[in-house]
Amino acid sequence: MKAQFISSAAALLAMPLHTSAFTTLPTTRPSTAPSHALHASNEDETTTPGVISVDVSDLGLTMADLEKKIPIHDFSFESSGYQSTSRIPDVNDNGCYWVENPEDLDVTLRIPGLIRQPAEALSVLFSTTTVSVTAFGRIVWSAIQMGVSDVDDCTFLTEEGADGVPIIQMNIRKRDVDERWGGFILQIGEDSLL
């Protein structure tokens, strides 16, 4: 067993480092998969003995295709999560649900301390790094954002919640597009009454 391991390790060290991404090493233990499962062949006598080549010509790819850089604008990654809206460290009310896209964040706030406040009496004040919620013109909750926003392109909407807690929906446009915030709330503001 030990001699077999040493010979396998020596074979690995003797292999060239420029092995193709489409090759595999044979194993010393018998395979339970049928031989046709890999659709592989080792018929070419010019290949390295013991290396199995997999035919991927039906994919229509060339090595030049695989070496191209992936354009960032062709992909969009979305992340989401919940955060607490409470200043009390032990309380996790999951009152903030955020969805982050490369250009903006969609945020839904359900702050339990605003229960029974009419949605029409609520407003949101935006700055580049903070957001404040007002009730009847008075700031009752605020937070420092995880990033810098474009104040001129931030919007909000309030509506009545089924359980009496109003729902505040915000769209926060990022100033630096493609910068990942990884959340919405960095810290709850000191002036929060709730």
Side-chain angles (χ1 to χ4, degrees):
M1 177 78 175
K2 188 174 183 180
Q4 184 181 15
F5 173 75
I6 292 173
S7 67
S8 296
L12 284 174
L13 292 174
M15 283 187 48
L17 294 176
H18 54 80
T19 304
S20 169
F22 299 105
T23 61
T24 59
L25 290 175
T27 59
T28 55
R29 56 178 200 255
S31 173
T32 57
S35 62
H36 66 278
L38 289 177
H39 302 289
S41 66
N42 195 14
E43 297 170 5
D44 186 4
E45 294 301 323
T46 62
T47 60
T48 308
V51 175
I52 300 172
S53 298
V54 179
D55 182 16
V56 293
S57 61
D58 61 328
L59 297 177
L61 294 174
T62 64
M63 285 305 291
D65 293 330
L66 297 175
E67 292 170 355
K68 286 182 184 176
K69 286 189 175 184
I70 299 173
I72 191 70
H73 64 276
D74 287 349
F75 295 97
S76 177
F77 296 100
E78 182 178 276
S79 58
S80 62
Y82 285 90
Q83 291 178 285
S84 180
T85 61
S86 176
R87 282 193 43 81
I88 303 169
D90 297 339
V91 175
N92 186 6
D93 59 16
N94 287 333
C96 173
Y97 175 69
W98 54 269
V99 177
E100 182 177 11
N101 299 300
E103 301 86 23
D104 61 4
L105 275 91
D106 290 316
V107 179
T108 302
L109 292 176
R110 294 180 43 88
I111 304 169
L114 293 176
I115 194 165
R116 305 284 180 242
Q117 295 296 319
E120 297 82 18
L122 301 178
S123 183
V124 178
L125 306 173
F126 297 100
S127 76
T128 56
T129 57
T130 64
V131 62
S132 300
V133 175
T134 66
F136 296 102
R138 181 180 175 142
I139 295 176
V140 293
W141 184 88
S142 66
I144 301 172
Q145 300 170 167
M146 296 283 276
V148 180
S149 62
D150 179 5
V151 178
D152 297 329
D153 208 6
C154 295
T155 60
F156 76 95
L157 172 73
T158 61
E159 60 185 51
E160 300 293 334
D163 56 355
V165 177
I167 299 168
I168 304 167
Q169 295 178 334
M170 300 181 291
N171 180 269
I172 311 292
R173 182 76 173 179
K174 295 178 185 178
R175 184 184 70 186
D176 302 320
V177 177
D178 291 329
E179 178 186 353
R180 302 306 281 180
W181 290 14
F184 174 65
I185 299 172
L186 178 65
Q187 180 180 342
I188 304 297
E190 293 287 333
D191 60 352
S192 296
L193 299 177
L194 308 174

Coordinates of all heavy atoms in Angstrom, one line a residue, residues 49 86 129 149:
P49 N 1.1 8.7 -22.5 CA 0.5 7.5 -22.0 C -0.2 7.7 -20.6 O 0.4 8.4 -19.8 CB 1.6 6.5 -21.8 CG 2.8 7.0 -22.6 CD 2.5 8.5 -22.7
S86 N -33.4 47.7 14.8 CA -33.3 48.2 16.2 C -31.9 48.6 16.6 O -31.0 48.0 16.1 CB -33.8 47.0 17.1 OG -33.7 47.3 18.5
T129 N -24.9 59.5 2.6 CA -24.5 58.4 3.4 C -25.5 58.0 4.4 O -25.3 57.0 5.2 CB -23.2 58.7 4.1 OG1 -23.4 59.9 4.9 CG2 -22.1 58.9 3.1
S149 N -24.7 57.0 -1.8 CA -25.8 57.0 -2.7 C -25.9 58.3 -3.5 O -25.3 59.3 -3.2 CB -27.1 56.8 -2.0 OG -27.4 57.8 -1.1

